[in-house]
């Protein structure tokens, strides 16, 4: 991956929206734009997948933020080289940096989504 803004921790991007609203597809396109050639799939069942410095997390099946802590989220966040995408970030917001980016996905119709960024 090439240069990214200098921060003291990873860039954390929370992805929020209903099932099928485009969260995983967004990560796939972002990874492709970074030159990642691995096939990006939803981490729903394994919770966390790592593709170099791109980390893809799905918090949908977690019971609490503690489950994500056990997977080493704090260490991943502490590494400023990482870009971390967290689907269903609202479920673990209490352990995420306050300066995270949040992207909301809304299913408008078949093949059409509304995306807003906080």
């Amino acid at each position: 991956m090439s240069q990214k803004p200098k921060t003291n921790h990873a860039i954390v991007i929370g992805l929020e929206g209903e099932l099928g609203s485009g969260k995983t597809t967004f990560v796939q396109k972002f990874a492709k734009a970074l030159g990642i050639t691995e096939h990006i799939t939803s981490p729903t069942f394994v919770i966390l997948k790592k593709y170099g410095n791109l980390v893809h997390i799905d918090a949908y099946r977690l019971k609490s933020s503690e489950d994500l802590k056990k997977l080493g989220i704090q260490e991943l966040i502490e590494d400023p080289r990482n870009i971390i995408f967290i689907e269903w970030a609202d479920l673990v917001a209490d352990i995420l940096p306050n300066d995270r980016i949040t992207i909301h996905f809304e299913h408008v119709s078949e093949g059409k989504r509304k995306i807003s960024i906080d």
Side-chain angles (χ1 to χ4, degrees):
M1 288 190 251
S2 61
Q3 295 179 0
K4 65 178 194 129
K6 299 270 188 230
T7 62
N8 60 349
H9 62 77
I11 294 173
V12 178
I13 303 166
L15 307 175
E16 300 177 359
E18 60 193 29
L19 287 170
S21 61
K23 297 179 296 293
T24 297
T25 300
F26 184 85
V27 176
Q28 290 169 336
K29 301 301 182 188
F30 193 96
K32 184 176 180 181
L34 290 177
I36 296 172
T37 58
E38 293 176 73
H39 181 63
I40 307 293
T41 58
S42 175
T44 300
F45 296 104
V46 296
I47 311 299
L48 185 148
K49 290 186 178 182
K50 201 165 184 226
Y51 307 91
N53 290 106
L54 187 142
V55 180
H56 188 194
I57 298 169
D58 188 328
Y60 184 74
R61 297 177 55 233
L62 298 178
K63 290 183 175 62
S64 74
S65 312
E66 289 301 315
D67 293 340
L68 195 52
K69 284 183 181 179
K70 291 174 188 172
L71 294 174
I73 186 65
Q74 291 309 126
E75 292 80 11
L76 292 169
I77 290 173
E78 289 171 6
D79 186 342
R81 296 171 296 176
N82 288 336
I83 300 173
I84 304 172
F85 286 95
I86 304 177
E87 297 190 32
W88 305 96
D90 52 317
L91 300 176
V92 294
D94 60 313
I95 63 168
L96 300 179
N98 291 331
D99 62 349
R100 69 184 173 276
I101 299 164
T102 303
I103 303 176
H104 301 276
F105 295 80
E106 185 179 338
H107 186 171
V108 176
S109 64
E110 187 63 38
K112 187 173 182 181
R113 306 295 185 266
K114 178 181 177 184
I115 298 173
S116 56
I117 302 172
D118 292 340

